């Protein structure tokens, strides 16, 4: 039975999906009439068309209000509380932050009467520490700020088309619905936020960007791969990559020296071999028990990821292009592609109209699979066909985006087209 909350949720997601589709359609020959109608409407209500009245602060305010409204609703109806169905992610992050303040282990914490392994590294734990004095509200707020930072960062990097591109991000199914629905979505937004922060910093000084990127990559360890891919296009490419690796390794070594296996296992080992479910092709293979046992798949996955990083370092021509290719490659080969991980791909919107269409399709398929096919048809009804088909479709779209980004990157030559680090 569909509840009123589900009706509201699906209605909101549906409206955003339509809005993002129309935004993309505006930039095609089919959207000429729509663009003229929008322009006439804007001139009628503001005397100025083409969104010239809009800036990132207004978009940030609207998105921030929507995020706060969802959090307030969740708090009011006790959705963050222990419900008997397992641990609560937000309470786990709160416990992790408080554990540091109390001199305890932040990677294995008590949560809802049991124990929870926290799969986020030191950069994420620092954010938990900042938010933990405010309790659940503090954790929700600090991670909300991390996610919402994507709005001004997009504005800074999008160039002359910043109004349009910022609206595309704000209306994406991979942004507001994802980061506000559960705290794991907001915490995963650290990955695209870290990537864009590094790109902004690289405009002034490679060393600072590389050091900051290496530290932020410890929040979710796969972030180090796009950091390396992007740093390969900095002015001092060898030094930049070396610095990313050095900072990442130093922070990781210090964490291991302090907490040992309680850090290493949840943050690295358990994530590499995780197979609970996946929205890409691995979902079908896992559901049919077609994946071989052991670490062979993880080894192949690691080799492919390293190959992508080496390829973008060798052949890449732009910082964001190399970063986006690496992020897409990670999404393709990972054994565990959750819906929340798809937020990592948001920097793709900065790479042109074709990339945005690929991303819109990925967002739509991922949303339908995660919100409907997996929980209702699969888990509840035992009908796994739609989940399998959507997993294949998402993999095809990711592969299409990967190939298209490569073609665009190689076609850039030595031109950065607004994405330079200088």
């Amino acid at each position: 039975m569909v509840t009123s909350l589900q009706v509201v949720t699906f209605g909101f997601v549906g409206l955003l999906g339509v809005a993002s589709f129309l935004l993309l359609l505006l930039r095609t020959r089919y959207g000429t009439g729509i663009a003229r109608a929008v322009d006439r409407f804007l001139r009628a209500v503001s005397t100025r068309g083409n969104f010239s009245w809009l800036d990132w602060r207004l978009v940030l305010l609207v998105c921030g209000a929507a995020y706060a409204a969802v959090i307030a609703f969740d708090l009011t109806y006790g959705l963050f509380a222990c419900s008997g169905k397992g641990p609560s992610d937000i309470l786990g992050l709160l416990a992790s932050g408080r554990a540091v303040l109390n001199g305890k282990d932040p990677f294995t914490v008590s949560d809802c009467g049991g124990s929870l392994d926290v799969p986020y590294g030191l950069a994420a734990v620092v954010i938990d520490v900042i938010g933990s004095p405010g309790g659940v509200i503090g954790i929700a707020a600090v991670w909300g700020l991390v996610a919402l930072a994507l709005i001004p960062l997009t504005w800074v990097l999008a160039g002359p088309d910043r109004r349009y591109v910022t609206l595309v991000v704000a209306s994406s199914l991979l942004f507001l619905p994802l980061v506000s629905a559960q705290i794991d979505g907001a915490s995963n937004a650290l990955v695209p936020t870290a990537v864009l922060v590094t790109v902004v910093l690289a405009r002034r000084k490679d060393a600072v960007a590389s050091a900051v990127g290496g530290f932020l990559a410890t929040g979710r360890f796969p972030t180090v791969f796009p950091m390396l891919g992007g740093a390969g296009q900095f002015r001092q490419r060898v030094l930049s990559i070396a610095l990313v690796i050095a900072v990442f390794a130093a922070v990781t070594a210090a964490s291991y020296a302090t907490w040992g296996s309680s850090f290493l296992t949840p943050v690295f080992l358990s994530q590499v071999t995780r197979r609970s479910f996946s929205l890409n092709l691995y979902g079908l293979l896992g559901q049919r028990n077609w994946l071989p046992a052991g670490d062979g798949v993880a080894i192949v996955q690691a080799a492919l990821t390293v190959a992508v990083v080496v390829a973008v370092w060798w052949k890449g021509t732009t910082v964001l292009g190399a970063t986006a290719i690496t992020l897409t490659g990670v999404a393709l080969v990972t054994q565990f592609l959750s819906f929340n991980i798809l937020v990592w791909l948001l920097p793709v919107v900065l790479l042109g109209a074709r990339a945005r269409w690929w991303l819109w399709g990925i967002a739509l398929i991922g949303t339908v699979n995660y919100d409907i096919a997996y929980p209702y048809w699969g888990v509840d009804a035992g009908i796994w066909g739609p989940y399998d088909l959507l997993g294949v479709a998402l993999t095809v779209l990711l592969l299409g985006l990967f190939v298209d980004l490569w073609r665009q990157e190689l076609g850039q030559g030595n031109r950065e087209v607004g994405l330079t680090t200088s």
Side-chain angles (χ1 to χ4, degrees), residues 8 24-25 31 70 88 98 114 128 142 153 183-184 257 275 356 363:
V8 172
L24 297 183
L25 195 64
V70 173
S88 169
R98 287 178 171 173
D128 291 334
V142 73
L153 289 169
I183 198 65
D184 197 32
R275 294 183 178 182
R356 291 172 203 137

Side-chain angles (χ1 to χ4, degrees), residues 83-411:
S83 61
K85 298 180 180 179
S88 169
D89 287 340
I90 195 167
L91 295 180
L93 297 184
L94 174 60
S96 180
R98 287 178 171 173
V100 174
L101 296 177
N102 294 324
K104 298 180 180 179
D105 181 0
F107 300 104
T108 302
V109 297
S110 298
D111 185 19
C112 294
S115 178
L116 174 69
D117 289 337
V118 179
Y120 305 117
L122 192 61
V125 170
V126 169
I127 296 173
D128 291 334
V129 171
I130 295 172
S132 60
V136 170
I137 295 177
I139 292 293
V142 73
W143 282 111
L145 290 175
V146 169
L148 292 170
L150 286 167
I151 296 297
L153 289 169
T154 300
W155 182 272
V156 169
L157 290 169
D161 211 17
R162 57 176 58 91
R163 289 180 175 84
Y164 174 77
V165 177
T166 303
L167 284 177
V168 171
V169 170
S171 64
S172 174
L173 294 177
L174 298 182
F175 182 56
L176 196 56
L178 192 154
V179 302
S180 62
Q182 51 183 303
I183 198 65
D184 197 32
S187 60
N188 270 282
L190 176 61
V191 176
T193 296
V195 165
L196 296 188
V197 165
T198 304
V199 175
V200 170
L201 292 175
R203 288 179 161 186
R204 293 186 176 273
K205 197 168 184 62
D206 289 355
V208 173
S210 301
V212 171
F215 173 73
L216 292 178
T218 63
R220 293 298 301 264
F221 84 87
T223 315
V224 75
F225 300 119
M227 291 297 184
L228 292 173
Q233 314 314 315
F234 288 178
R235 289 174 294 267
Q236 301 180 36
R237 59 191 314 195
V238 175
L239 178 61
S240 297
I241 286 181
L243 192 53
V244 170
I245 294 173
V247 173
F248 180 84
V251 174
T252 300
S255 299
Y256 180 73
T258 304
W259 294 289
S261 61
S262 68
F263 154 77
L264 188 65
T265 299
V267 176
F268 285 91
L269 302 181
S270 296
Q271 299 308 303
V272 169
T273 58
R274 185 172 180 178
R275 294 183 178 182
S276 55
F277 82 101
S278 186
L279 296 183
N280 58 12
L281 185 60
Y282 282 105
L284 183 152
L285 300 177
Q287 184 63 30
R288 297 288 188 271
N289 294 317
W290 290 344
L291 287 174
D295 298 330
V297 174
I299 293 171
V300 172
Q301 170 191 332
L304 290 173
T305 304
V306 171
V308 171
V309 173
V310 172
V312 296
W313 182 85
W314 187 259
K315 291 291 187 179
T317 55
T318 68
V319 177
L320 276 172
T323 299
I325 289 169
T326 312
L327 285 168
T328 308
V330 170
L332 268 171
V333 304
T334 181
Q335 299 179 65
F336 176 67
L337 180 65
S338 74
F339 183 59
N340 295 320
I341 290 177
L342 290 178
V343 75
W344 297 7
L345 299 175
L346 274 178
V348 166
V349 302
L350 292 160
L351 295 174
R354 287 175 61 89
R356 291 172 203 137
W357 277 109
W358 285 112
L359 193 64
W360 183 85
I362 290 167
L364 179 64
I365 296 298
T367 299
V368 173
N369 203 358
Y370 183 74
D371 287 343
I372 300 175
Y374 178 75
Y376 296 112
W377 297 334
V379 175
D380 291 347
I383 303 172
W384 291 100
Y387 168 73
D388 294 339
L389 290 174
L390 290 171
V392 172
L394 186 64
T395 301
V396 170
L397 291 174
L398 286 168
L399 184 59
L401 174 62
F402 184 79
V403 172
D404 211 31
L405 289 174
W406 259 121
R407 292 176 61 187
Q408 177 178 318
E409 185 72 1
L410 295 177

